[in-house]
């Protein structure tokens, strides 16, 4: 009887250990990494458009009688520069929340990143699991804390008609649309790569190829390289 109890206890212990040691699926792992790295991605990608649209003064353009540009009048450049710096400081010190539209459907990257991945991570190769070939997934971003004054709203809350998102007047400071692709990893899951972008108008925006890696059991951005600008 005592022997039977010992065997039973051992079996229960093995079941508990095996259940606790249940491995994450590829998709669950990717979601956990995206959740961890997400605040850093937002901080490095999003821009307060009020600052972005404030071009530093370069002087008043001068044209000849045929409307050909011949130079700039910089006689008032000091005053203009001081005014510009004051306005910029005012915006940066403003504690108002800056709102960004974000698409919670994270899609697979349509661009081939294998060559860049191998080059950046010294021969490491992207590993594609044959078990999971999901094209996209829904990312629950609303509970993730962003350190600065940036706030994300689901893009579904904004006008869907083409171009209307930029024409609409909001009762908050709307700064643009931010997006990221799914993360691709190496086989040992030490390195990752994804693309991200920020759009601030019909012909305004920029994109980056973002390299991430695991250091001391924590995922960090290793480098972000610009891939396009408009």
């Amino acid at each position: 009887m005592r022997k039977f109890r010992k065997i039973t206890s051992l079996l229960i212990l093995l079941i508990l250990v095996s259940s606790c040691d249940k491995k994450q699926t590829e998709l669950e792992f990717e979601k956990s990494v995206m959740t961890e790295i997400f605040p850093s991605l937002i901080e490095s990608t999003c821009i307060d458009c009020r600052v972005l649209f404030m071009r530093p003064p370069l002087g008043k353009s001068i044209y000849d009688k045929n409307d050909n540009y011949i130079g700039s009048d910089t006689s008032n450049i000091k005053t203009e520069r001081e005014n510009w710096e004051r306005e910029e400081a005012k915006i940066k010190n403003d504690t108002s929340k800056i709102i960004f539209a974000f698409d919670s459907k994270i899609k697979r990257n349509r661009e081939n990143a294998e060559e860049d991945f191998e080059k950046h991570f010294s021969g490491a190769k992207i590993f594609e699991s044959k078990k999971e070939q999901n094209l996209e997934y829904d990312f629950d971003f609303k509970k993730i804390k962003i350190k600065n004054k940036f706030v994300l709203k689901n893009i579904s809350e904004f006008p869907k008609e083409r171009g209307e998102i930029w024409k609409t007047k909001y009762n908050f400071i709307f700064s643009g649309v931010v997006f990221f692709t799914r993360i691709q990893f190496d086989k040992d899951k030490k390195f990752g790569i994804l693309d991200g972008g920020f759009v601030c108008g019909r012909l305004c925006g920029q994109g980056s190829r973002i390299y991430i890696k695991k250091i001391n059991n924590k995922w960090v951005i290793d480098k972000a390289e610009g891939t396009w600008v408009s």
Side-chain angles (χ1 to χ4, degrees), residues 108-129 184-186 192-195 209 211:
R108 292 192 69 176
N109 198 341
R110 291 181 294 179
E111 303 294 329
N112 190 329
E114 291 182 7
E115 186 177 339
D116 287 344
F117 188 85
E118 187 172 348
K119 182 179 178 181
H120 183 82
F121 290 119
S122 302
K125 296 183 182 296
I126 290 174
F127 175 72
E128 292 287 351
S129 173
Q184 294 173 283
F185 299 94
D186 65 310
I193 190 171
L194 69 155
D195 281 356
R209 178 145 289 176
Y211 303 89

PDB file of all heavy atoms in Angstrom, residues 108-129 184-186 192-195 209 211:
ATOM      1  N   ARG A 108       2.740  39.430 -41.735  1.00  0.00           N
ATOM      2  CA  ARG A 108       4.069  38.961 -42.144  1.00  0.00           C
ATOM      3  C   ARG A 108       4.711  39.985 -43.064  1.00  0.00           C
ATOM      4  O   ARG A 108       4.043  40.656 -43.844  1.00  0.00           O
ATOM      5  CB  ARG A 108       3.973  37.612 -42.861  1.00  0.00           C
ATOM      6  CG  ARG A 108       3.553  36.473 -41.964  1.00  0.00           C
ATOM      7  CD  ARG A 108       3.753  35.139 -42.625  1.00  0.00           C
ATOM      8  NE  ARG A 108       5.187  34.833 -42.781  1.00  0.00           N
ATOM      9  CZ  ARG A 108       5.640  33.681 -43.271  1.00  0.00           C
ATOM     10  NH1 ARG A 108       4.806  32.753 -43.674  1.00  0.00           N
ATOM     11  NH2 ARG A 108       6.936  33.463 -43.376  1.00  0.00           N
ATOM     12  N   ASN A 109       6.021  40.089 -42.970  1.00  0.00           N
ATOM     13  CA  ASN A 109       6.764  41.047 -43.784  1.00  0.00           C
ATOM     14  C   ASN A 109       6.741  40.615 -45.246  1.00  0.00           C
ATOM     15  O   ASN A 109       7.062  39.478 -45.582  1.00  0.00           O
ATOM     16  CB  ASN A 109       8.218  41.130 -43.295  1.00  0.00           C
ATOM     17  CG  ASN A 109       8.923  42.382 -43.782  1.00  0.00           C
ATOM     18  OD1 ASN A 109       8.494  43.017 -44.741  1.00  0.00           O
ATOM     19  ND2 ASN A 109       9.998  42.739 -43.112  1.00  0.00           N
ATOM     20  N   ARG A 110       6.349  41.540 -46.118  1.00  0.00           N
ATOM     21  CA  ARG A 110       6.320  41.228 -47.558  1.00  0.00           C
ATOM     22  C   ARG A 110       7.695  41.378 -48.197  1.00  0.00           C
ATOM     23  O   ARG A 110       7.919  40.939 -49.317  1.00  0.00           O
ATOM     24  CB  ARG A 110       5.314  42.139 -48.260  1.00  0.00           C
ATOM     25  CG  ARG A 110       3.860  41.843 -47.894  1.00  0.00           C
ATOM     26  CD  ARG A 110       2.899  42.746 -48.627  1.00  0.00           C
ATOM     27  NE  ARG A 110       3.050  44.141 -48.221  1.00  0.00           N
ATOM     28  CZ  ARG A 110       2.346  45.146 -48.716  1.00  0.00           C
ATOM     29  NH1 ARG A 110       1.446  44.919 -49.644  1.00  0.00           N
ATOM     30  NH2 ARG A 110       2.544  46.374 -48.283  1.00  0.00           N
ATOM     31  N   GLU A 111       8.613  42.021 -47.468  1.00  0.00           N
ATOM     32  CA  GLU A 111       9.971  42.205 -47.978  1.00  0.00           C
ATOM     33  C   GLU A 111      10.867  41.051 -47.526  1.00  0.00           C
ATOM     34  O   GLU A 111      10.690  40.501 -46.440  1.00  0.00           O
ATOM     35  CB  GLU A 111      10.551  43.531 -47.472  1.00  0.00           C
ATOM     36  CG  GLU A 111       9.721  44.759 -47.828  1.00  0.00           C
ATOM     37  CD  GLU A 111       9.678  45.023 -49.313  1.00  0.00           C
ATOM     38  OE1 GLU A 111      10.676  44.702 -49.995  1.00  0.00           O
ATOM     39  OE2 GLU A 111       8.658  45.535 -49.802  1.00  0.00           O
ATOM     40  N   ASN A 112      11.835  40.709 -48.356  1.00  0.00           N
ATOM     41  CA  ASN A 112      12.785  39.657 -48.012  1.00  0.00           C
ATOM     42  C   ASN A 112      13.887  40.244 -47.125  1.00  0.00           C
ATOM     43  O   ASN A 112      14.629  41.122 -47.550  1.00  0.00           O
ATOM     44  CB  ASN A 112      13.404  39.064 -49.290  1.00  0.00           C
ATOM     45  CG  ASN A 112      14.201  37.802 -49.002  1.00  0.00           C
ATOM     46  OD1 ASN A 112      14.776  37.651 -47.932  1.00  0.00           O
ATOM     47  ND2 ASN A 112      14.233  36.887 -49.954  1.00  0.00           N
ATOM     48  N   ALA A 113      13.971  39.757 -45.902  1.00  0.00           N
ATOM     49  CA  ALA A 113      14.935  40.307 -44.940  1.00  0.00           C
ATOM     50  C   ALA A 113      16.104  39.358 -44.675  1.00  0.00           C
ATOM     51  O   ALA A 113      16.953  39.647 -43.832  1.00  0.00           O
ATOM     52  CB  ALA A 113      14.219  40.625 -43.631  1.00  0.00           C
ATOM     53  N   GLU A 114      16.158  38.235 -45.383  1.00  0.00           N
ATOM     54  CA  GLU A 114      17.162  37.212 -45.090  1.00  0.00           C
ATOM     55  C   GLU A 114      18.594  37.721 -45.243  1.00  0.00           C
ATOM     56  O   GLU A 114      19.451  37.469 -44.390  1.00  0.00           O
ATOM     57  CB  GLU A 114      16.937  35.999 -46.004  1.00  0.00           C
ATOM     58  CG  GLU A 114      15.668  35.224 -45.678  1.00  0.00           C
ATOM     59  CD  GLU A 114      15.499  34.006 -46.567  1.00  0.00           C
ATOM     60  OE1 GLU A 114      16.428  33.696 -47.334  1.00  0.00           O
ATOM     61  OE2 GLU A 114      14.434  33.376 -46.491  1.00  0.00           O
ATOM     62  N   GLU A 115      18.852  38.426 -46.339  1.00  0.00           N
ATOM     63  CA  GLU A 115      20.216  38.906 -46.595  1.00  0.00           C
ATOM     64  C   GLU A 115      20.659  39.914 -45.526  1.00  0.00           C
ATOM     65  O   GLU A 115      21.784  39.838 -45.017  1.00  0.00           O
ATOM     66  CB  GLU A 115      20.289  39.552 -47.981  1.00  0.00           C
ATOM     67  CG  GLU A 115      21.703  39.954 -48.391  1.00  0.00           C
ATOM     68  CD  GLU A 115      21.765  40.515 -49.799  1.00  0.00           C
ATOM     69  OE1 GLU A 115      20.838  40.248 -50.608  1.00  0.00           O
ATOM     70  OE2 GLU A 115      22.745  41.229 -50.098  1.00  0.00           O
ATOM     71  N   ASP A 116      19.780  40.846 -45.184  1.00  0.00           N
ATOM     72  CA  ASP A 116      20.105  41.838 -44.154  1.00  0.00           C
ATOM     73  C   ASP A 116      20.316  41.174 -42.799  1.00  0.00           C
ATOM     74  O   ASP A 116      21.203  41.566 -42.025  1.00  0.00           O
ATOM     75  CB  ASP A 116      18.984  42.884 -44.048  1.00  0.00           C
ATOM     76  CG  ASP A 116      18.969  43.838 -45.230  1.00  0.00           C
ATOM     77  OD1 ASP A 116      19.975  43.882 -45.959  1.00  0.00           O
ATOM     78  OD2 ASP A 116      17.947  44.518 -45.414  1.00  0.00           O
ATOM     79  N   PHE A 117      19.497  40.188 -42.498  1.00  0.00           N
ATOM     80  CA  PHE A 117      19.587  39.466 -41.227  1.00  0.00           C
ATOM     81  C   PHE A 117      20.944  38.772 -41.110  1.00  0.00           C
ATOM     82  O   PHE A 117      21.632  38.889 -40.095  1.00  0.00           O
ATOM     83  CB  PHE A 117      18.454  38.442 -41.152  1.00  0.00           C
ATOM     84  CG  PHE A 117      18.324  37.759 -39.819  1.00  0.00           C
ATOM     85  CD1 PHE A 117      17.596  38.342 -38.791  1.00  0.00           C
ATOM     86  CD2 PHE A 117      18.912  36.525 -39.586  1.00  0.00           C
ATOM     87  CE1 PHE A 117      17.466  37.714 -37.556  1.00  0.00           C
ATOM     88  CE2 PHE A 117      18.789  35.887 -38.365  1.00  0.00           C
ATOM     89  CZ  PHE A 117      18.062  36.479 -37.345  1.00  0.00           C
ATOM     90  N   GLU A 118      21.313  38.061 -42.161  1.00  0.00           N
ATOM     91  CA  GLU A 118      22.574  37.315 -42.162  1.00  0.00           C
ATOM     92  C   GLU A 118      23.776  38.253 -42.077  1.00  0.00           C
ATOM     93  O   GLU A 118      24.757  37.963 -41.391  1.00  0.00           O
ATOM     94  CB  GLU A 118      22.657  36.457 -43.431  1.00  0.00           C
ATOM     95  CG  GLU A 118      23.842  35.514 -43.445  1.00  0.00           C
ATOM     96  CD  GLU A 118      23.799  34.537 -44.611  1.00  0.00           C
ATOM     97  OE1 GLU A 118      22.745  34.452 -45.261  1.00  0.00           O
ATOM     98  OE2 GLU A 118      24.825  33.891 -44.856  1.00  0.00           O
ATOM     99  N   LYS A 119      23.673  39.387 -42.756  1.00  0.00           N
ATOM    100  CA  LYS A 119      24.777  40.358 -42.759  1.00  0.00           C
ATOM    101  C   LYS A 119      24.921  41.020 -41.389  1.00  0.00           C
ATOM    102  O   LYS A 119      26.033  41.163 -40.873  1.00  0.00           O
ATOM    103  CB  LYS A 119      24.538  41.415 -43.830  1.00  0.00           C
ATOM    104  CG  LYS A 119      25.645  42.441 -43.966  1.00  0.00           C
ATOM    105  CD  LYS A 119      25.330  43.432 -45.076  1.00  0.00           C
ATOM    106  CE  LYS A 119      26.429  44.487 -45.185  1.00  0.00           C
ATOM    107  NZ  LYS A 119      26.115  45.482 -46.264  1.00  0.00           N
ATOM    108  N   HIS A 120      23.817  41.419 -40.804  1.00  0.00           N
ATOM    109  CA  HIS A 120      23.872  42.153 -39.540  1.00  0.00           C
ATOM    110  C   HIS A 120      24.291  41.256 -38.376  1.00  0.00           C
ATOM    111  O   HIS A 120      25.054  41.686 -37.507  1.00  0.00           O
ATOM    112  CB  HIS A 120      22.503  42.782 -39.235  1.00  0.00           C
ATOM    113  CG  HIS A 120      22.495  43.608 -37.996  1.00  0.00           C
ATOM    114  ND1 HIS A 120      22.938  44.914 -37.966  1.00  0.00           N
ATOM    115  CD2 HIS A 120      22.119  43.315 -36.714  1.00  0.00           C
ATOM    116  CE1 HIS A 120      22.828  45.392 -36.738  1.00  0.00           C
ATOM    117  NE2 HIS A 120      22.328  44.449 -35.959  1.00  0.00           N
ATOM    118  N   PHE A 121      23.787  40.020 -38.365  1.00  0.00           N
ATOM    119  CA  PHE A 121      24.060  39.119 -37.254  1.00  0.00           C
ATOM    120  C   PHE A 121      25.135  38.080 -37.598  1.00  0.00           C
ATOM    121  O   PHE A 121      25.104  36.949 -37.111  1.00  0.00           O
ATOM    122  CB  PHE A 121      22.772  38.433 -36.795  1.00  0.00           C
ATOM    123  CG  PHE A 121      21.805  39.360 -36.115  1.00  0.00           C
ATOM    124  CD1 PHE A 121      20.535  39.564 -36.639  1.00  0.00           C
ATOM    125  CD2 PHE A 121      22.163  40.054 -34.971  1.00  0.00           C
ATOM    126  CE1 PHE A 121      19.636  40.432 -36.025  1.00  0.00           C
ATOM    127  CE2 PHE A 121      21.278  40.907 -34.342  1.00  0.00           C
ATOM    128  CZ  PHE A 121      20.009  41.103 -34.868  1.00  0.00           C
ATOM    129  N   SER A 122      26.069  38.462 -38.451  1.00  0.00           N
ATOM    130  CA  SER A 122      27.270  37.663 -38.761  1.00  0.00           C
ATOM    131  C   SER A 122      26.978  36.201 -39.106  1.00  0.00           C
ATOM    132  O   SER A 122      27.447  35.276 -38.432  1.00  0.00           O
ATOM    133  CB  SER A 122      28.258  37.719 -37.584  1.00  0.00           C
ATOM    134  OG  SER A 122      28.610  39.044 -37.297  1.00  0.00           O
ATOM    135  N   GLY A 123      26.174  36.000 -40.117  1.00  0.00           N
ATOM    136  CA  GLY A 123      25.928  34.657 -40.621  1.00  0.00           C
ATOM    137  C   GLY A 123      24.723  33.947 -40.060  1.00  0.00           C
ATOM    138  O   GLY A 123      24.379  32.839 -40.516  1.00  0.00           O
ATOM    139  N   ALA A 124      24.061  34.532 -39.080  1.00  0.00           N
ATOM    140  CA  ALA A 124      22.840  33.912 -38.544  1.00  0.00           C
ATOM    141  C   ALA A 124      21.766  33.895 -39.623  1.00  0.00           C
ATOM    142  O   ALA A 124      21.685  34.797 -40.448  1.00  0.00           O
ATOM    143  CB  ALA A 124      22.346  34.685 -37.329  1.00  0.00           C
ATOM    144  N   LYS A 125      20.954  32.865 -39.639  1.00  0.00           N
ATOM    145  CA  LYS A 125      19.930  32.714 -40.677  1.00  0.00           C
ATOM    146  C   LYS A 125      18.528  32.722 -40.076  1.00  0.00           C
ATOM    147  O   LYS A 125      18.316  32.231 -38.963  1.00  0.00           O
ATOM    148  CB  LYS A 125      20.148  31.415 -41.455  1.00  0.00           C
ATOM    149  CG  LYS A 125      21.458  31.383 -42.231  1.00  0.00           C
ATOM    150  CD  LYS A 125      21.584  30.104 -43.031  1.00  0.00           C
ATOM    151  CE  LYS A 125      22.918  30.046 -43.777  1.00  0.00           C
ATOM    152  NZ  LYS A 125      23.023  31.122 -44.794  1.00  0.00           N
ATOM    153  N   ILE A 126      17.594  33.276 -40.826  1.00  0.00           N
ATOM    154  CA  ILE A 126      16.194  33.278 -40.405  1.00  0.00           C
ATOM    155  C   ILE A 126      15.657  31.859 -40.456  1.00  0.00           C
ATOM    156  O   ILE A 126      15.871  31.127 -41.423  1.00  0.00           O
ATOM    157  CB  ILE A 126      15.357  34.208 -41.310  1.00  0.00           C
ATOM    158  CG1 ILE A 126      15.725  35.674 -41.059  1.00  0.00           C
ATOM    159  CG2 ILE A 126      13.865  33.995 -41.074  1.00  0.00           C
ATOM    160  CD1 ILE A 126      15.050  36.644 -42.002  1.00  0.00           C
ATOM    161  N   PHE A 127      14.960  31.467 -39.395  1.00  0.00           N
ATOM    162  CA  PHE A 127      14.368  30.132 -39.321  1.00  0.00           C
ATOM    163  C   PHE A 127      12.860  30.228 -39.517  1.00  0.00           C
ATOM    164  O   PHE A 127      12.182  30.972 -38.799  1.00  0.00           O
ATOM    165  CB  PHE A 127      14.679  29.489 -37.965  1.00  0.00           C
ATOM    166  CG  PHE A 127      14.014  28.167 -37.757  1.00  0.00           C
ATOM    167  CD1 PHE A 127      14.438  27.039 -38.437  1.00  0.00           C
ATOM    168  CD2 PHE A 127      12.937  28.045 -36.874  1.00  0.00           C
ATOM    169  CE1 PHE A 127      13.809  25.806 -38.233  1.00  0.00           C
ATOM    170  CE2 PHE A 127      12.310  26.833 -36.676  1.00  0.00           C
ATOM    171  CZ  PHE A 127      12.751  25.711 -37.353  1.00  0.00           C
ATOM    172  N   GLU A 128      12.338  29.496 -40.465  1.00  0.00           N
ATOM    173  CA  GLU A 128      10.900  29.468 -40.731  1.00  0.00           C
ATOM    174  C   GLU A 128      10.338  28.122 -40.298  1.00  0.00           C
ATOM    175  O   GLU A 128      10.702  27.081 -40.837  1.00  0.00           O
ATOM    176  CB  GLU A 128      10.620  29.680 -42.225  1.00  0.00           C
ATOM    177  CG  GLU A 128      10.947  31.079 -42.730  1.00  0.00           C
ATOM    178  CD  GLU A 128       9.950  32.127 -42.263  1.00  0.00           C
ATOM    179  OE1 GLU A 128       8.911  31.736 -41.686  1.00  0.00           O
ATOM    180  OE2 GLU A 128      10.212  33.321 -42.456  1.00  0.00           O
ATOM    181  N   SER A 129       9.475  28.124 -39.294  1.00  0.00           N
ATOM    182  CA  SER A 129       8.862  26.889 -38.827  1.00  0.00           C
ATOM    183  C   SER A 129       7.814  26.412 -39.830  1.00  0.00           C
ATOM    184  O   SER A 129       7.001  27.194 -40.311  1.00  0.00           O
ATOM    185  CB  SER A 129       8.204  27.114 -37.466  1.00  0.00           C
ATOM    186  OG  SER A 129       7.469  25.980 -37.079  1.00  0.00           O
ATOM    187  N   GLN A 184      10.846  37.979 -37.342  1.00  0.00           N
ATOM    188  CA  GLN A 184      11.465  36.745 -37.820  1.00  0.00           C
ATOM    189  C   GLN A 184      12.712  36.491 -36.972  1.00  0.00           C
ATOM    190  O   GLN A 184      13.494  37.405 -36.708  1.00  0.00           O
ATOM    191  CB  GLN A 184      11.840  36.872 -39.301  1.00  0.00           C
ATOM    192  CG  GLN A 184      10.625  37.006 -40.210  1.00  0.00           C
ATOM    193  CD  GLN A 184      11.024  37.295 -41.650  1.00  0.00           C
ATOM    194  OE1 GLN A 184      11.382  38.416 -41.988  1.00  0.00           O
ATOM    195  NE2 GLN A 184      10.975  36.277 -42.489  1.00  0.00           N
ATOM    196  N   PHE A 185      12.891  35.222 -36.563  1.00  0.00           N
ATOM    197  CA  PHE A 185      13.980  34.870 -35.650  1.00  0.00           C
ATOM    198  C   PHE A 185      14.938  33.865 -36.287  1.00  0.00           C
ATOM    199  O   PHE A 185      14.610  33.212 -37.290  1.00  0.00           O
ATOM    200  CB  PHE A 185      13.412  34.224 -34.373  1.00  0.00           C
ATOM    201  CG  PHE A 185      12.493  35.111 -33.587  1.00  0.00           C
ATOM    202  CD1 PHE A 185      11.112  35.049 -33.778  1.00  0.00           C
ATOM    203  CD2 PHE A 185      12.984  35.994 -32.650  1.00  0.00           C
ATOM    204  CE1 PHE A 185      10.245  35.844 -33.048  1.00  0.00           C
ATOM    205  CE2 PHE A 185      12.130  36.806 -31.900  1.00  0.00           C
ATOM    206  CZ  PHE A 185      10.763  36.734 -32.111  1.00  0.00           C
ATOM    207  N   ASP A 186      16.102  33.726 -35.655  1.00  0.00           N
ATOM    208  CA  ASP A 186      16.996  32.626 -36.005  1.00  0.00           C
ATOM    209  C   ASP A 186      16.518  31.371 -35.269  1.00  0.00           C
ATOM    210  O   ASP A 186      15.613  31.430 -34.441  1.00  0.00           O
ATOM    211  CB  ASP A 186      18.438  32.975 -35.622  1.00  0.00           C
ATOM    212  CG  ASP A 186      18.607  33.105 -34.116  1.00  0.00           C
ATOM    213  OD1 ASP A 186      17.818  33.828 -33.475  1.00  0.00           O
ATOM    214  OD2 ASP A 186      19.528  32.483 -33.580  1.00  0.00           O
ATOM    215  N   GLY A 192      16.426  38.722 -33.849  1.00  0.00           N
ATOM    216  CA  GLY A 192      15.169  38.916 -34.566  1.00  0.00           C
ATOM    217  C   GLY A 192      15.231  40.122 -35.479  1.00  0.00           C
ATOM    218  O   GLY A 192      16.089  40.999 -35.326  1.00  0.00           O
ATOM    219  N   ILE A 193      14.312  40.152 -36.437  1.00  0.00           N
ATOM    220  CA  ILE A 193      14.256  41.263 -37.387  1.00  0.00           C
ATOM    221  C   ILE A 193      12.796  41.543 -37.738  1.00  0.00           C
ATOM    222  O   ILE A 193      11.985  40.617 -37.829  1.00  0.00           O
ATOM    223  CB  ILE A 193      15.084  40.947 -38.668  1.00  0.00           C
ATOM    224  CG1 ILE A 193      15.229  42.188 -39.546  1.00  0.00           C
ATOM    225  CG2 ILE A 193      14.476  39.785 -39.444  1.00  0.00           C
ATOM    226  CD1 ILE A 193      16.209  41.989 -40.692  1.00  0.00           C
ATOM    227  N   LEU A 194      12.466  42.805 -37.891  1.00  0.00           N
ATOM    228  CA  LEU A 194      11.130  43.210 -38.316  1.00  0.00           C
ATOM    229  C   LEU A 194      11.228  44.568 -38.980  1.00  0.00           C
ATOM    230  O   LEU A 194      12.255  45.256 -38.869  1.00  0.00           O
ATOM    231  CB  LEU A 194      10.170  43.274 -37.128  1.00  0.00           C
ATOM    232  CG  LEU A 194      10.390  44.381 -36.090  1.00  0.00           C
ATOM    233  CD1 LEU A 194       9.071  44.698 -35.380  1.00  0.00           C
ATOM    234  CD2 LEU A 194      11.435  43.977 -35.053  1.00  0.00           C
ATOM    235  N   ASP A 195      10.171  44.957 -39.675  1.00  0.00           N
ATOM    236  CA  ASP A 195      10.096  46.286 -40.263  1.00  0.00           C
ATOM    237  C   ASP A 195       9.058  47.108 -39.516  1.00  0.00           C
ATOM    238  O   ASP A 195       8.078  46.571 -38.993  1.00  0.00           O
ATOM    239  CB  ASP A 195       9.715  46.205 -41.751  1.00  0.00           C
ATOM    240  CG  ASP A 195      10.904  45.828 -42.626  1.00  0.00           C
ATOM    241  OD1 ASP A 195      12.016  45.703 -42.087  1.00  0.00           O
ATOM    242  OD2 ASP A 195      10.726  45.658 -43.845  1.00  0.00           O
ATOM    243  N   ARG A 209      14.147  49.173 -40.893  1.00  0.00           N
ATOM    244  CA  ARG A 209      14.380  47.750 -40.645  1.00  0.00           C
ATOM    245  C   ARG A 209      15.003  47.663 -39.265  1.00  0.00           C
ATOM    246  O   ARG A 209      16.046  48.247 -39.004  1.00  0.00           O
ATOM    247  CB  ARG A 209      15.294  47.164 -41.719  1.00  0.00           C
ATOM    248  CG  ARG A 209      15.618  45.696 -41.515  1.00  0.00           C
ATOM    249  CD  ARG A 209      15.734  44.978 -42.830  1.00  0.00           C
ATOM    250  NE  ARG A 209      14.413  44.843 -43.465  1.00  0.00           N
ATOM    251  CZ  ARG A 209      14.223  44.317 -44.664  1.00  0.00           C
ATOM    252  NH1 ARG A 209      15.252  43.891 -45.377  1.00  0.00           N
ATOM    253  NH2 ARG A 209      13.003  44.207 -45.166  1.00  0.00           N
ATOM    254  N   TYR A 211      16.506  45.619 -36.015  1.00  0.00           N
ATOM    255  CA  TYR A 211      17.200  44.412 -35.564  1.00  0.00           C
ATOM    256  C   TYR A 211      17.110  44.343 -34.039  1.00  0.00           C
ATOM    257  O   TYR A 211      17.425  45.307 -33.349  1.00  0.00           O
ATOM    258  CB  TYR A 211      18.672  44.448 -35.979  1.00  0.00           C
ATOM    259  CG  TYR A 211      18.879  44.609 -37.470  1.00  0.00           C
ATOM    260  CD1 TYR A 211      18.970  45.879 -38.041  1.00  0.00           C
ATOM    261  CD2 TYR A 211      18.989  43.499 -38.310  1.00  0.00           C
ATOM    262  CE1 TYR A 211      19.157  46.042 -39.405  1.00  0.00           C
ATOM    263  CE2 TYR A 211      19.184  43.650 -39.675  1.00  0.00           C
ATOM    264  CZ  TYR A 211      19.257  44.922 -40.214  1.00  0.00           C
ATOM    265  OH  TYR A 211      19.452  45.082 -41.570  1.00  0.00           O
TER     266      TYR A 211
END
